[in-house]
Amino acid sequence: MDHHTEQQRIRAVYQAWHGGAALASYTWHRPEVMAQDAAYCRVAGAMLAATAGPALGGLRIVDVGCGGGGFLRQLISWGADPARLAGTEYQPDRLDYARLATAAGVRWHLGDLGAFADAGTDLVVANTVFSSILDEGARHVLAGEMWRILRQGGWLMLFDFRYNNPRNPQVRKVSRAQLRHYWPAVAAHYRTLLLAPPLARALARVHAPRLLGEVLEAALPPLRTHFVYACRKG
């Protein structure tokens, strides 16, 4: 499958998904979704502070596959300068929403990273992007482009799936071996997080104490379905 064909497949999948009933499981007000969002912010924020540093105001940051701009807004709340941020996306409607909902000054780009300069970025992030790419060749193309725009000494941060989802053939896990293969880093950090969503939803349905889910997530690492990975370009 060539890169262009894979892009078309991803666009079609997301267009169908965003108009379908599956979205109901991810609405923002569901207790398990709010808990997952909070956990992600804790882990990603701690890793970001430990790698790129806690002072984000001077960093040039690109969010690849930014969706509705949620993580860019989180970065702004942590002190990033909107004028130094950029988000890329394949879905025009999501980019339109991101533009309306986010502080002025962010650069928005519909398409791939070809418009970005070599080594012009301090931090490149991608959230549940690679798991949406089934074709390994297309993954390598995107990984190479992310590495190209990252300056020497800059950091790349990825949030994605550790496991395949047997109910969703349109996503595929990203292994630690693949991460090392995609980016020849001089330093790397890896943390797992998030209780398996089916289990988290089941606990929420029976109104189990939130502490129970936190204990399971902490005590049983194999039940954590996602990871945050950061690596530095030498």
Side-chain angles (χ1 to χ4, degrees), residues 49-227:
T51 55
L56 303 182
L59 298 184
R60 298 159 297 179
I61 304 172
V62 175
D63 185 353
V64 178
C66 66
F71 191 64
L72 287 170
R73 290 190 290 277
Q74 182 64 67
L75 290 173
I76 293 170
S77 76
W78 287 340
D81 179 359
R84 294 176 179 267
L85 305 183
T88 74
E89 177 56 47
Y90 284 144
Q91 303 295 334
D93 57 332
R94 301 187 80 192
L95 207 59
D96 288 343
Y97 174 81
R99 188 178 289 109
L100 289 172
T102 310
V106 178
R107 175 186 175 189
W108 304 105
H109 179 74
L110 182 66
D112 57 27
L113 293 170
F116 290 81
D118 293 356
T121 306
D122 301 301
L123 173 68
V124 181
V125 300
N127 295 306
T128 59
V129 169
F130 276 75
S131 55
S132 299
I133 304 173
L134 304 185
D135 181 70
E136 192 60 27
R139 283 187 174 191
H140 276 277
V141 169
L142 178 57
E145 281 293 275
M146 291 169 68
W147 211 234
R148 176 186 66 79
I149 70 171
L150 187 64
R151 68 167 175 82
Q152 185 175 7
W155 286 88
L156 180 149
M157 190 168 76
L158 201 76
F159 168 68
D160 227 311
F161 296 124
R162 298 175 65 201
Y163 302 123
N164 288 327
N165 183 344
R167 296 183 177 181
N168 186 358
Q170 300 297 340
V171 295
R172 184 172 296 165
K173 70 178 181 180
V174 184
S175 71
R176 294 187 74 170
Q178 287 173 316
L179 294 171
R180 291 190 293 268
H181 187 58
Y182 295 152
W183 298 291
V186 295
H189 305 265
Y190 182 93
R191 281 194 60 184
T192 60
L193 69 159
L194 300 188
L195 187 65
L199 182 54
R201 286 193 287 268
L203 292 175
R205 280 196 300 270
V206 300
H207 304 290
R210 186 176 62 184
L211 181 61
L212 176 58
E214 294 175 354
V215 168
L216 289 173
E217 182 180 343
L220 299 171
L223 293 182
R224 303 173 197 157
T225 55
H226 292 67
F227 68 84

Side-chain angles (χ1 to χ4, degrees), residues 40-52:
Y40 169 60
C41 282
R42 285 196 302 271
V43 174
M47 188 172 288
L48 191 57
T51 55

Side-chain angles (χ1 to χ4, degrees), residues 30-43:
R30 294 177 66 99
E32 72 276 15
V33 173
M34 297 180 77
Q36 289 168 358
D37 287 345
Y40 169 60
C41 282
R42 285 196 302 271
V43 174

